[in-house]
Amino acid sequence: MKISESSPARRLLGLAYGLVAIGLILLFSASKGIFTRPVAGIFKGGGVFFWQQLLWITLGTGALVGARRFPYRNFRRLVWLLYPVTIVLLVLVLSLGHGRASRWIRIGPFNFQPAEFGKVVLVLTIAAYLAENDINRIAVFIGSLFLAGFPAALIFKQPNLGTAMILVLICLVIMFQAGLSLRRLLAVFITVLVSSPLLWITMEPYQKERILTFLWPQRDPLGRGYNLLQSKITIGSGGLIGKGYLHGTQTKLAFLPEYHTDFIFCLLAEEFGFIGVAIFLGLVYLFLREILSIIASTRDEFARLVASGIFGIFFLQTVINISMTLGLFPVAGIPLPFISYGGSFMIVALLSVGILANIAENSVMF
Amino acid sequence: MDQEKLLVNLVKISLGVLLLRSLYLQIIRFPYYSALSKKQSIRTIEIGIPRGKIFDRNGRVLAEDEPCFDLVFVPYDLKHPAEEAALVARYVSLEESNLKKIFTRQYRNPFDRIVLKKALTPEEVASISENAFQLPGIFVQTGIKRRYVLGPAAAHLIGHLGEVSEEQLERWKDRGLKAGDVIGQDGLERYYDDILRGVPGGILVEVDALGHHRRILGEKEMQPGDDLYLTIDLSFQKAAAESLGENEGCVVAMDPRNGQVLALVNYPAFDPEDPGKSLFKPGKPFLNRAIQGQYPPGSVFKIITEVAALETMTIEEHDRIECQGEMTVGDVIFRCWKEEGHGWVDINLALPFSCNIFFGTVGMKTGVSKILDYARLFHLGQPTGIDLPGEKSGLVPETAQSGGPLNIAIGQGALLTTPIQLLSLLSTVANGGNIWKPYLARKVVSGNGKIIRDVTPSLLRTAYVTGETMEILKRGLKNVVAFGTGGAASVPGIAVAGKTGTAQRGTEETGFSTHGAFACYAPAENPNIALVVFLDRGASKQAARIAGSILKKMLLPLEERGNGESSLSPEEENENF
């Protein structure tokens, strides 16, 4: 098949790398600030993060190229290997990890988070399962919930409430796309709502704190509510045109913690103002729109469901991450796709874009 | 497909909500968040809040700031908290276990300097400096400390400083205070805190969330507080403290012509430069007895009984009553302090001898309510309004709760007065009926010499009493010292007029003893000093002796009293007529 100059795959790649570029620009600014978090006991200079991210992008681009070339239909067979491996890795993280949050596995010089890779594997697995089975059969419905619920429970145990929640939501997006009746979907939501007190009991104290802090941020303005308040101050003080690139005070002076990872949207809002935010959200809209148009033009059910799951990852993480910085959602520790500093998710994101490009190029019927 | 359309709408709505929320925070709430952002990144490094000085009536310093050396530490820079705590404890009088606790505590801002101890001695400064290499994170820096010239001798009068409490922060929201500020916590330091406290100056720096100074933005000039000039006479205050010595009680003196307080001394007292160490001392060292102690006035109150009896014409000057040492009223036996009795006495003898039988009898004739009316006329039972915090009002009871005419007539029963109220009473008699409000602050002067406030005497009320009554009363008071119970207060060559007072104190459990009081004015014919000496436990004679010793120091030239301080200077004599 001949690919025209402005094919969906090219547009998708262009938009994705546009977002990656914005992320690098922001990380460079962040690296000019001082970092509050001591790495191995010493205050690490910020420049490290910029260069490391560049490395992740390179690795991620490799993954993207590979995923784009790989006959995507083979994924369908591969999941029976990938899914169990992911589960094993998640169990390993739990048993190897020490300290409060055990999320990483160390491989040579790299720390990698199985949970991030688990997102893509889960998308492929559930897509493969639902491409062959009718979601509106009770057994299939429960089966796919179990497929998502098992890794989600392991991740929840880490503890990482945010990612566990994302996993379940992605599963729901795919199920919806597979034709799950709205009534069933509603039933799932109601079940979750009813069982939430049970969830509350099993939550770690810090997770309870985060939710309480979200509901009543004034509870403790210098303690747990600090991030939320500082996040809002950072965004609000950006104004219409922002404080100028490299001139953010909130982030540079480290009033806002984690401004290179989960709160990097604040840096954008502070230095580029409302105009910057509007342009960024516009780009995100075009990117998500592009994925949805690929989904709409795909005839292959497996490919359609995979693309829907990936859409779910990008859409949910973007909206939840930004909502969190704007004080619309509890602080959940979910990175902003393409923008936040972090290796595992950057690779996963670019890999996912590769799969989408693959689908756009190979399963679209004109 | 329907599903995709739904998803597109979901994307539009979600991103739309995010955009609107950003709009709200960044455009509508911009002024609010912008101000917050600026506020937290700019900090003033305070150099200290310089307070105004406090001077006596002749311009002699009573309290001022002076530079000192403070021991400070930066939590982040401590290397070996335990060893350093031990070392510091060896050289500076601080508890080691306490230091360890302070050193290992979690600090929100570990880069901030925290004062461990103010005003080090030169030896302490030397030891810390010599061992500086073993004490990373601990050092000596210059600071400001308050010096009180008279120390404990004027502690209750001047007061002391202390860090503002949370409760005070809450109560005085509009005074521009913040946590950690040092304010006046007692006495004049507290009463005039707004005047004395300056505006802190300092260096404006941009700080990060850790308190690191990123760059200096400018300097804010400090504004020292205004100076306070008192009516107090440093020599008088000193003389009073010396004469009171270590008797629990107080001395308070004022000029009966205008209400200017000349001295106010209490014992036991605290060290105003380090009040903390007196916190648990016995004898209530923080109680300002002169204005906060409420006691039965005892025989000093016979002044009121006499005025009431004469003014209501219940008795005349030469009406006589026989004192046989005791009398029976109903089934109560009422005794005079003199067992064998005073014999036949009229009012001219009864006051000097303080005859209970005479005044008891006169009191019954006059009636409780009349006597209490005169007590109120002389402004008893309400605060005098002196410019010090915490003044008590004493108690002039209702007739029904008074305890009966016999008790009231001799200053017992339910009556309570503060020493300053007795002083006010004697001043009123001394000047013939004017009740002046006692005051301490004479003027407020700014740092550049401009007079900001000039306080003039304030007349509370005039107690109208006929000339004859006043004359009889004044003669009687003079005779108290000339040949009566107050002989110990006499001063050679100068007539002193006064009245002794003794009242029972204590309960069955603590054992009974007496309060002893002497209230007087001098010179009797042209008084410029009114003086009250009150002893928590002791005889009125002892109080009179102390009063006499103070008056000698203040009224007699140096050569005639052996040793002591100078008296009121001639120009002072003329200044306040």
Side-chain angles (χ1 to χ4, degrees):
Chain A
M1 189 189 287
K2 196 175 177 302
I3 299 159
S4 69
E5 271 307 300
S6 66
S7 71
R10 291 230 165 178
R11 283 201 298 273
L12 188 76
L13 289 174
L15 286 166
Y17 277 93
L19 290 171
V20 166
I22 289 176
L24 268 179
I25 289 169
L26 293 178
L27 258 186
F28 180 76
S29 173
S31 70
K32 294 292 168 197
I34 48 154
F35 281 75
T36 55
R37 176 191 269 180
V39 180
I42 50 161
F43 287 87
K44 214 167 173 180
V48 175
F49 293 97
F50 178 77
W51 295 110
Q52 287 229 34
Q53 186 82 337
L54 215 52
L55 174 66
W56 304 132
I57 291 167
T58 312
L59 289 175
T61 303
L64 183 148
V65 170
R68 194 180 173 186
R69 298 269 161 79
F70 188 77
Y72 75 86
R73 283 177 187 85
N74 292 348
F75 279 126
R76 221 164 149 165
R77 284 193 296 275
L78 216 53
V79 293
W80 304 116
L81 177 65
L82 289 175
Y83 187 80
V85 167
T86 306
I87 296 293
V88 168
L89 284 177
L90 286 174
V91 171
L92 227 74
V93 165
L94 275 182
S95 53
L96 287 182
H98 32 76
R100 202 185 63 179
S102 44
R103 297 178 183 178
W104 290 273
I105 286 184
R106 216 178 160 77
I107 299 173
F110 303 117
N111 289 321
F112 108 102
Q113 290 192 58
E116 299 298 349
F117 291 97
K119 288 174 189 166
V120 179
V121 173
L122 186 72
V123 165
L124 294 171
T125 309
I126 293 182
Y129 182 58
L130 291 182
E132 285 164 12
N133 300 288
D134 179 9
I135 181 66
N136 284 318
R137 275 172 49 211
I138 278 290
V140 176
F141 173 72
I142 291 179
S144 39
L145 274 185
F146 178 79
L147 279 176
F150 191 35
L154 289 171
I155 292 167
F156 176 73
K157 197 90 183 77
Q158 282 181 356
N160 187 346
L161 174 65
T163 306
M165 180 187 68
I166 290 278
L167 235 52
V168 173
L169 288 174
I170 291 167
C171 173
L172 290 179
V173 170
I174 301 174
M175 286 160 82
F176 170 69
Q177 285 287 80
L180 181 66
S181 68
L182 274 173
R183 220 175 38 192
R184 280 271 171 80
L185 205 61
L186 221 66
V188 175
F189 271 115
I190 288 168
T191 313
V192 169
L193 225 65
V194 168
S195 62
S196 57
L198 209 76
L199 202 64
W200 179 261
I201 295 168
T202 59
M203 271 188 197
E204 293 287 320
Y206 88 96
Q207 291 170 326
K208 290 183 185 174
E209 269 301 326
R210 279 182 180 178
I211 289 170
L212 288 176
T213 303
F214 168 71
L215 295 173
W216 299 282
Q218 288 80 12
R219 255 161 54 95
D220 182 11
L222 280 169
R224 305 259 172 197
Y226 181 82
N227 281 19
L228 196 56
L229 179 68
Q230 291 298 344
S231 174
K232 285 204 259 183
I233 294 175
T234 307
I235 294 170
S237 63
L240 178 66
I241 56 167
K243 293 175 185 168
Y245 187 48
L246 302 180
H247 285 98
T249 55
Q250 282 288 114
T251 40
K252 292 294 174 300
L253 300 174
F255 285 104
L256 181 69
E258 302 291 342
Y259 56 85
H260 59 303
T261 57
D262 293 348
F263 284 92
I264 196 156
F265 178 79
C266 299
L267 184 77
L268 169 85
E270 183 183 28
E271 298 197 347
F272 297 98
F274 180 67
I275 291 175
V277 169
I279 291 173
F280 175 75
L281 289 178
L283 266 179
V284 168
Y285 173 71
L286 291 178
F287 176 74
L288 293 173
R289 207 42 219 272
E290 203 57 53
I291 301 177
L292 285 175
S293 78
I294 290 171
I295 293 170
S297 52
T298 302
R299 289 291 168 267
D300 178 28
E301 182 65 2
F302 173 63
R304 203 177 73 86
L305 294 183
V306 168
S308 300
I310 291 172
F311 163 80
I313 296 176
F314 289 134
F315 172 64
L316 292 169
Q317 296 218 166
T318 303
V319 170
I320 291 176
N321 174 281
I322 298 177
S323 299
M324 167 186 101
T325 63
L326 290 169
L328 295 173
F329 200 83
V331 174
I334 290 169
L336 185 59
F338 305 118
I339 312 291
S340 286
Y341 170 81
S344 300
F345 189 63
M346 178 58 88
I347 292 171
V348 167
L350 288 173
L351 179 87
S352 305
V353 172
I355 295 173
L356 284 175
N358 188 338
I359 289 169
E361 284 162 350
N362 297 311
S363 86
V364 175
M365 311 282 179
F366 293 99
Chain B
M1 247 201 218
D2 282 353
Q3 283 147 325
E4 271 81 51
K5 209 173 243 169
L6 206 128
L7 288 179
V8 170
N9 285 333
L10 193 63
V11 169
K12 279 182 184 164
I13 291 167
S14 306
L15 295 183
V17 166
L18 297 184
L19 195 69
L20 283 177
R21 176 71 173 172
S22 299
L23 183 87
Y24 170 74
L25 290 179
Q26 300 193 281
I27 309 295
I28 296 167
R29 300 279 279 160
F30 170 70
Y32 172 72
Y33 286 117
S34 181
L36 274 183
S37 163
K38 279 188 189 128
K39 191 174 131 203
Q40 69 179 352
S41 60
I42 296 172
R43 192 179 294 177
T44 311
I45 307 296
E46 282 183 10
I47 305 173
I49 311 179
R51 285 179 81 83
K53 294 180 185 182
I54 300 177
F55 297 99
D56 88 332
R57 65 188 298 122
N58 299 316
R60 287 176 289 191
V61 172
L62 292 173
E64 64 182 344
D65 282 347
E66 68 177 16
C68 67
F69 292 104
D70 300 336
L71 187 65
V72 299
F73 83 106
V74 175
Y76 185 80
D77 292 337
L78 293 174
K79 292 282 178 291
H80 323 285
E83 289 93 75
E84 292 185 43
L87 205 58
V88 169
R90 195 184 316 157
Y91 297 119
V92 179
S93 55
L94 288 170
E95 194 103 8
E96 185 183 334
S97 57
N98 225 352
L99 279 171
K100 243 183 232 168
K101 240 182 269 162
I102 294 171
F103 284 173
T104 49
R105 202 179 287 158
Q106 282 295 317
Y107 290 91
R108 180 167 296 148
N109 186 349
F111 294 88
D112 260 357
R113 293 177 176 200
I114 294 162
V115 176
L116 276 176
K117 188 174 189 239
K118 280 201 72 69
L120 297 176
T121 65
E123 294 79 38
E124 288 172 333
V125 172
S127 327
I128 294 292
S129 308
E130 277 164 23
N131 293 283
F133 65 97
Q134 289 183 63
L135 293 169
I138 298 173
F139 46 94
V140 172
Q141 79 174 17
T142 54
I144 294 176
K145 100 180 231 284
R146 195 77 162 154
R147 188 172 73 95
Y148 295 102
V149 173
L150 288 175
H156 302 88
L157 171 71
I158 310 277
H160 63 90
L161 302 182
E163 218 166 87
V164 63
S165 70
E166 268 176 46
E167 179 215 347
Q168 287 169 333
L169 271 179
E170 187 60 30
R171 189 147 35 108
W172 297 329
K173 270 183 193 147
D174 49 341
R175 290 207 192 170
L177 292 168
K178 60 181 183 318
D181 276 354
V182 169
I183 62 168
Q185 291 291 19
D186 204 353
L188 291 163
E189 291 274 28
R190 172 159 178 177
Y191 198 91
Y192 289 107
D193 188 58
D194 282 352
I195 286 169
L196 291 166
R197 184 157 41 86
V199 178
I203 304 161
L204 293 175
V205 289
E206 189 180 72
V207 294
D208 61 33
L210 294 177
H212 286 303
H213 302 163
R214 309 294 295 181
R215 66 197 165 106
I216 292 174
L217 299 172
E219 204 166 313
K220 191 172 134 198
E221 219 173 301
M222 62 183 183
Q223 224 177 294
D226 299 325
D227 296 336
L228 202 58
Y229 284 78
L230 302 184
T231 59
I232 291 288
D233 181 345
L234 181 135
S235 314
F236 206 142
Q237 182 81 14
K238 248 181 172 169
E242 266 172 31
S243 298
L244 180 60
E246 295 189 354
N247 295 298
E248 270 181 38
C250 66
V251 175
V252 53
M254 74 184 204
D255 188 330
R257 299 166 298 183
N258 48 32
Q260 295 187 346
V261 177
L262 301 168
L264 191 156
V265 179
N266 288 278
Y267 187 90
F270 57 90
D271 178 358
E273 290 177 19
D274 189 4
K277 69 181 181 194
S278 306
L279 268 179
F280 302 109
K281 277 198 182 153
K284 299 185 181 159
F286 288 91
L287 179 66
N288 189 348
R289 289 168 167 76
I291 62 164
Q292 293 167 337
Q294 304 183 96
Y295 313 95
S299 298
V300 180
F301 193 74
K302 285 172 183 164
I303 292 172
I304 299 287
T305 309
E306 173 162 338
V307 170
L310 289 171
E311 288 292 282
T312 55
M313 292 190 275
T314 309
I315 57 163
E316 286 181 14
E317 187 185 349
H318 299 294
D319 288 352
R320 295 200 301 169
I321 289 168
E322 189 184 8
C323 168
Q324 295 173 327
E326 61 174 59
M327 66 176 175
T328 310
V329 181
D331 38 356
V332 177
I333 298 171
F334 183 71
R335 295 178 201 281
C336 193
W337 60 271
K338 193 173 179 185
E339 258 176 68
E340 64 271 29
H342 290 104
W344 286 95
V345 287
D346 66 1
I347 203 157
N348 289 321
L349 287 175
L351 191 69
F353 291 132
S354 200
C355 177
N356 285 351
I357 300 295
F358 181 89
F359 279 97
T361 311
V362 166
M364 281 196 293
K365 276 191 185 167
T366 314
V368 175
S369 63
K370 281 272 158 46
I371 298 175
L372 295 178
D373 282 347
Y374 275 89
R376 290 188 199 99
L377 178 70
F378 279 88
H379 212 261
L380 297 180
Q382 50 183 310
T384 63
I386 187 172
D387 41 354
L388 279 177
E391 190 192 358
K392 292 283 196 293
S393 60
L395 179 68
V396 174
E398 291 305 313
T399 309
Q401 283 93 45
S402 62
L406 283 176
N407 281 322
I408 291 297
I410 61 167
Q412 306 270 12
L415 276 171
L416 290 175
T417 51
T418 61
I420 191 125
Q421 284 175 332
L422 294 185
L423 181 68
S424 171
L425 173 62
L426 265 287
S427 295
T428 305
V429 173
N431 68 37
N434 287 332
I435 304 173
W436 294 100
K437 180 167 136 183
Y439 70 103
L440 288 160
R442 212 154 56 109
K443 58 182 177 186
V444 177
V445 179
S446 76
N448 53 28
K450 212 177 91 195
I451 294 178
I452 293 171
R453 197 190 292 178
D454 205 353
V455 184
T456 49
S458 149
L459 189 63
L460 289 173
R461 183 197 294 161
T462 301
Y464 290 104
V465 175
T466 57
E468 294 84 58
T469 301
M470 256 323 170
E471 206 178 297
I472 295 167
L473 175 62
K474 283 183 161 184
R475 190 163 61 230
L477 291 174
K478 214 163 97 182
N479 287 337
V480 166
V481 180
F483 59 80
T485 52
S490 62
V491 176
I494 294 169
V496 177
K499 182 71 194 82
T500 51
T502 306
Q504 294 215 328
R505 74 188 287 273
T507 57
E508 207 101 36
E509 295 90 60
T510 59
F512 290 102
S513 60
T514 57
H515 297 297
F518 188 72
C520 64
Y521 57 83
E525 301 310 330
N526 189 14
N528 56 22
I529 294 173
L531 176 71
V532 166
V533 176
F534 176 86
L535 301 178
D536 258 19
R537 56 196 96 212
S540 55
K541 212 169 235 162
Q542 197 186 349
R545 193 159 43 240
I546 292 168
S549 117
I550 297 169
L551 289 175
K552 274 179 212 149
K553 287 180 199 160
M554 300 317 297
L555 293 172
L556 295 182
L558 201 56
E559 56 272 22
E560 284 180 42
R561 62 191 145 100
N563 63 351
E565 291 285 324
S566 69
S567 61
L568 289 175
S569 55
E571 59 268 16
E572 283 300 323
E573 290 278 351
N574 302 328
E575 193 185 23
N576 290 301
F577 255 110

